Amino acid sequence: MQPAATAKWYDRRDYVFVEFCVEDSKDVQINFEKEKFTFSCLGGAENVKHFNEVNLFNAIEANDSRYKRTDRSVLCFLRKGDSGQKWPRLTKETPKLNWLKVDFNNWRDWDDDPEEEDLSSFEKFSQMMNNMGGDDDGDIPDVDGMDDDGSQDSDDEKMPDLE
C-alpha cells in the first residue's frame, strides 16, 4: 500500500483548498470527479510514491477545479458545486484521517466576515497594485530651491582642503 501524502485544507465561499505537503513532487496526477478526487505523485529525495483518495463532503465542479505545483507542495482549488455552502469537514466520512489537518493559518469564518469578497487573493493584490502610484498626469512636484538652470546656491561654496 502506498503512503498517503500529508495535507492541509481550508474552506472559502466558492472554493475548498487542499494543499498536499510533498517536496520535490514529480509525476503529479490529480483526477477531479463530482464527489471525490484522487492525488498521486512521486515525492522527496527517495521518490516515494504517494496516493490519496478523498471522498468529498459535498459535490464539486470537476471541470472548474484546478491545482498548482510548487517545489514544496501541490495546492488544489476545488470549485464548490453549491457556492456559499459551508463545509464543516473535507471528507464525507466523519472519522479523523491521520494525514489530513485543518489549515488554521488560512482559515476564515466567512459566514461572519463582512469583508470577505468573492475575489481571489491574486485579484485583490492586482487591484491594490493598480490603485497605488501617483497621479496619471505624471507631473513632478515642485521642490523649493531646485533650479534646473545650473546656478550655484549659497551653500555650494568650495570647501577648504583637509589637512
Side-chain angles (χ1 to χ4, degrees):
M1 185 170 158
Q2 300 167 344
T6 59
K8 303 182 288 187
W9 81 281
Y10 59 99
D11 184 29
R12 286 293 196 279
R13 189 173 310 279
D14 296 328
Y15 288 91
V16 172
F17 295 88
V18 182
E19 182 176 17
F20 291 96
C21 304
V22 180
E23 291 187 15
D24 300 325
S25 59
K26 299 176 192 97
D27 299 331
V28 175
Q29 295 178 350
I30 300 178
N31 183 27
F32 297 108
E33 297 177 24
K34 185 174 181 173
E35 296 191 4
K36 76 174 188 176
F37 79 98
T38 57
F39 168 83
S40 66
C41 75
L42 295 174
E46 298 86 29
N47 284 327
V48 175
K49 176 82 172 161
H50 296 282
F51 180 80
N52 298 64
E53 183 174 25
V54 182
N55 293 315
L56 297 167
F57 175 76
N58 229 337
I60 62 169
E61 297 288 333
N63 295 334
D64 289 338
S65 297
R66 305 277 183 258
Y67 72 92
K68 180 180 179 185
R69 184 201 158 286
T70 65
D71 289 339
R72 301 189 138 257
S73 66
V74 178
L75 181 62
C76 298
F77 310 87
L78 307 176
R79 175 84 173 181
K80 291 181 179 179
D82 294 328
S83 187
Q85 184 176 7
K86 194 172 194 174
W87 286 26
R89 61 185 179 275
L90 179 65
T91 60
K92 188 170 288 238
E93 304 89 24
T94 54
K96 181 172 174 22
L97 301 171
N98 62 353
W99 56 267
L100 183 64
K101 296 179 171 74
V102 174
D103 187 354
F104 287 109
N105 291 333
N106 288 309
W107 190 274
R108 280 197 202 125
D109 194 9
W110 50 264
D111 258 352
D112 301 330
D113 191 3
E115 294 180 14
E116 176 73 21
E117 299 176 13
D118 291 336
L119 297 175
S120 69
S121 297
F122 178 75
E123 289 170 333
K124 289 178 186 177
F125 180 73
S126 295
Q127 275 186 347
M128 180 186 70
M129 293 304 288
N130 288 336
N131 292 336
M132 291 178 67
D135 299 328
D136 291 336
D137 58 3
D139 288 340
I140 298 175
D142 290 333
V143 179
D144 292 338
M146 281 193 61
D147 294 328
D148 290 337
D149 61 356
S151 63
Q152 287 190 347
D153 290 337
S154 62
D155 61 344
D156 288 343
E157 297 172 1
K158 185 172 172 132
M159 301 222 9
D161 292 335
L162 293 173
E163 295 180 10

